[in-house]
Amino acid sequence: MALRLYDTLTKEKRDFAPIDPHNVRMYVCGPTVYDFAHIGNARPVIVFDVLFRLLRHLYGADHVKYVRNITDVDDKINDRAARDYPGLPLNEAIRKVTEQTEQQFHDDVDALGCLRPTVEPRATEHIGEMRTIIDRLVEGGFAYVAADHVLFSPAAMNAANGVLPRYGALANRSLDEMIAGARVDVAPYKRDATDFVLWKPSKPGEPSWPSPAGITTQGRPGWHIECSAMSWKHLGETFDIHGGGIDLVFPHHENEVAQSCCAFHTERMAQTWMHNGFLQVEGEKMSKSLGNFVTIRELLETEKFGGRKWEGLELRLAMLRTHYRQPIDWTHQNLEEARQALDSWANKIEGIEAVPPSVNLCEALLDDLNTPRAIAELHRLGRAKDYSGLAAGLKLMGLDLASYRSPLTKAVHSAFEKRDRIDALISERTAARVRKDFKESDRIRDELAAMGIAIKDGKDADGKPVTTWEIAR
Ligand code: AMP
Ligand code: ZN
């Protein structure tokens, strides 16, 4: 069975055929680094990690290139830097904010069992590519300079003949609809309300670079151009898969397509467009004002959600229990059930060698990443006592339980460890009594008492001295 993926552009599930099976290429829009990632941000990271693992399984680990960018130039970053480091020059403060946030992001997604992408390019390291694309767009008549800005004109794109796609095709909107829906306070330098920014002037003190298109003042890029530049640099003019959350379809991805296709005269930027659905919390939109906003870090390290700390793999499994295109309702119940499942699987596969994953499991993932069906198959394998199949399935889905100790199992382990320690202390005390070292034997009795253990000296059936213990009451 072939891999079939749902494509947002054509609105259908299609057989996936890479442009070059020796170099399968995927781009996913990554984080803007100014604050801790929330659990909604974790969804595309986890979903596309499953796809990355599946592609590596199908085409070989060395034949898949996964690029996920880091947006390190943005107003939100500037605001945060000025707020958190008021004493520092803005550029230095920005570097502190972005480096620290990038580290936090990596720690969080590592805990979720996600592989690092092949390349994680930073926007600020690709300004040259952005300028090149912008120059081409101006030369091609798709963009124009006004008030030290460079603006892209969707109307010019749709007026051009040739292979280009229609602006609005990805989001399934017409340009007329968009013009009608545009806000009234359109910037005066725009020819049309739907024109969007490729490049803009920097305010004094803000990060700035030499501008493209003959503009003599320094400036900075708009958001959409970053992804066109980074995907071009690392994956080429056209590539296989482009992904992100559903909120990015418009305007971000629509504008990426416009920029890349017009700059390179191509029909398509990516062969397949994939978008994950949104996450809501206990039936409500996640927002700071509702107080249900929760970061990955808070779930891992505090008891803010459901009164417990959660393990990264529990978050991962809870996320994958819903198909990636469906909205997900993030609940305590869901996490609790994920914990129970992982706990039972971890005990089953301890010391078990993984074999190639089962046909059923592969077929589920090949069918547009049907992870709920794949998880049902994991349960079936567990019930059927096919533990090597279970181990293989877990591995393919990035649920590596080697280091997973659920809090349920941890409680059992600590009881066993305590028991071993009690037995060892009792033997030491018996030896001390044999050599009549009563000071030591009393010390050990006190140590056990401090552990909440009461001991009783008696005789066994043969009349030999024996020490028993119980939990002190
Ligand atoms: P942002 O930093 O807001 O650009 O988001 C980074 C990624 O997380 C994008 O792919 C977004 O689509 C995705 N994302 C943001 N919020 C949510 C949410 N509540 N549920 C699912 N995905 C989200
Ligand atoms: Zn992007």
Side-chain angles (χ1 to χ4, degrees):
M1 190 185 164
L3 172 59
R4 288 170 70 75
L5 296 173
Y6 181 87
D7 174 28
T8 309
L9 178 65
T10 53
K11 294 172 203 58
E12 57 181 3
K13 258 194 229 177
R14 287 187 298 137
D15 281 355
F16 175 72
I19 300 166
D20 174 3
H22 294 287
N23 184 20
V24 182
R25 289 160 289 160
M26 170 163 83
Y27 186 92
V28 175
C29 297
T32 304
V33 283
Y34 67 98
D35 205 349
F36 283 102
H38 61 66
I39 187 64
N41 300 136
R43 193 169 189 195
V45 178
I46 294 173
V47 163
F48 290 102
D49 180 69
V50 173
L51 181 56
F52 183 36
R53 288 171 185 270
L54 181 64
L55 292 170
R56 285 159 59 102
H57 177 72
L58 296 172
Y59 297 97
D62 297 338
H63 301 296
V64 183
K65 190 167 182 187
Y66 172 22
V67 179
R68 185 182 62 212
N69 71 292
I70 290 182
T71 295
D72 59 353
V73 44
D74 188 273
D75 283 339
K76 290 192 279 281
I77 300 174
N78 300 348
D79 295 348
R80 185 58 63 103
R83 188 194 84 181
D84 289 358
Y85 301 98
L88 285 184
L90 187 60
N91 281 315
E92 233 172 276
I94 286 172
R95 200 171 55 246
K96 276 198 186 291
V97 168
T98 54
E99 279 176 4
Q100 177 182 315
T101 312
E102 195 179 316
Q103 183 62 49
Q104 289 160 356
F105 178 74
H106 280 148
D107 292 347
D108 288 350
V109 300
D110 287 353
L112 298 173
C114 296
L115 300 171
R116 293 282 175 93
T118 322
V119 190
E120 278 193 290
R122 289 194 192 86
T124 53
E125 289 168 4
H126 296 75
I127 304 285
E129 287 81 2
M130 297 182 209
R131 270 199 301 261
T132 305
I133 296 178
I134 294 172
D135 281 336
R136 284 194 190 194
L137 292 173
V138 174
E139 281 157 26
F142 301 105
Y144 60 95
V145 176
D148 288 347
H149 290 68
V150 186
L151 295 141
F152 185 95
S153 164
M157 175 178 176
N158 282 3
N161 296 320
V163 296
L164 296 180
R166 177 179 64 80
Y167 185 85
L170 183 68
N172 201 18
R173 302 183 193 194
S174 79
L175 204 50
D176 289 343
E177 258 168 44
M178 290 185 236
I179 292 168
R183 276 179 290 149
V184 260
D185 55 344
V186 177
Y189 48 80
K190 286 190 181 179
R191 288 184 194 160
D192 285 311
T194 48
D195 296 351
F196 63 87
V197 169
L198 299 173
W199 190 267
K200 58 190 165 189
S202 299
K203 296 195 194 84
E206 276 181 357
S208 66
W209 293 268
S211 297
I215 299 170
T216 50
T217 52
Q218 301 247 115
R220 60 190 176 119
W223 171 35
H224 317 302
I225 195 70
E226 296 175 12
C227 290
S228 284
M230 289 183 269
S231 60
W232 175 41
K233 168 79 184 286
H234 297 282
L235 298 176
E237 295 179 359
T238 13
F239 48 93
D240 297 297
I241 298 170
H242 194 317
I246 189 83
D247 58 321
L248 298 187
V249 174
F250 192 85
H252 186 51
H253 288 167
E254 190 72 58
N255 292 353
E256 282 188 34
V257 173
Q259 296 160 163
S260 296
C261 292
C262 292
F264 308 125
H265 302 289
T266 47
E267 198 176 343
R268 289 209 151 199
M269 179 185 190
Q271 298 294 316
T272 308
W273 285 88
M274 293 178 67
H275 294 97
N276 63 270
F278 247 45
L279 173 147
Q280 53 178 20
V281 177
E282 303 280 5
E284 285 184 313
K285 183 178 186 304
M286 181 166 57
S287 80
K288 288 217 161 105
S289 57
L290 286 172
N292 63 0
F293 183 91
V294 60
T295 64
I296 304 171
R297 189 63 62 91
E298 285 170 328
L299 286 159
L300 295 172
E301 290 185 357
T302 75
E303 298 181 349
K304 181 175 166 182
F305 195 74
R308 337 189 146 182
K309 286 186 193 171
W310 302 97
E311 298 284 319
L313 293 184
E314 293 164 355
L315 306 182
R316 183 181 180 95
L317 179 63
M319 199 71 88
L320 295 175
R321 293 177 80 206
T322 304
H323 186 257
Y324 77 92
R325 283 194 282 122
Q326 298 301 317
I328 190 170
D329 193 18
W330 192 252
T331 61
H332 306 146
Q333 180 66 22
N334 186 12
L335 282 169
E336 203 60 66
E337 286 168 12
R339 170 168 291 181
Q340 303 277 352
L342 289 180
D343 184 62
S344 95
W345 292 336
N347 290 322
K348 291 186 167 105
I349 64 161
E350 212 174 320
I352 299 273
E353 282 282 318
V355 292
S358 79
V359 173
N360 283 349
L361 190 126
C362 289
E363 278 186 0
L365 294 179
L366 289 172
D367 181 14
D368 193 30
L369 291 189
N370 193 333
T371 53
R373 211 169 96 204
I375 291 166
E377 172 65 6
L378 293 176
H379 282 292
R380 192 196 64 78
L381 290 164
R383 279 195 305 272
K385 301 199 169 31
D386 181 351
Y387 298 149
S388 17
L390 174 62
L394 288 164
K395 193 166 156 209
L396 180 59
M397 294 179 70
L399 293 162
D400 177 2
L401 298 182
S403 59
Y404 174 78
R405 282 272 169 276
S406 97
L408 308 169
T409 304
K410 264 191 223 154
V412 175
H413 274 258
S414 85
F416 272 111
E417 272 162 26
K418 200 163 165 188
R419 201 180 188 115
D420 285 354
R421 176 88 187 119
I422 295 166
D423 289 344
L425 283 172
I426 289 178
S427 314
E428 279 173 37
R429 179 169 169 275
T430 307
R433 277 156 60 93
V434 167
R435 57 174 201 271
K436 304 214 170 342
D437 182 352
F438 297 113
K439 199 166 156 217
E440 175 65 0
S441 88
D442 285 351
R443 191 198 62 74
I444 294 174
R445 175 192 289 271
D446 292 347
E447 186 177 337
L448 284 162
M451 287 166 66
I453 301 299
I455 53 174
K456 208 159 100 196
D457 295 318
K459 292 209 160 55
D460 70 7
D462 303 330
K464 277 206 295 202
V466 64
T467 302
T468 55
W469 63 269
E470 60 180 20
I471 311 255
R473 268 170 288 192

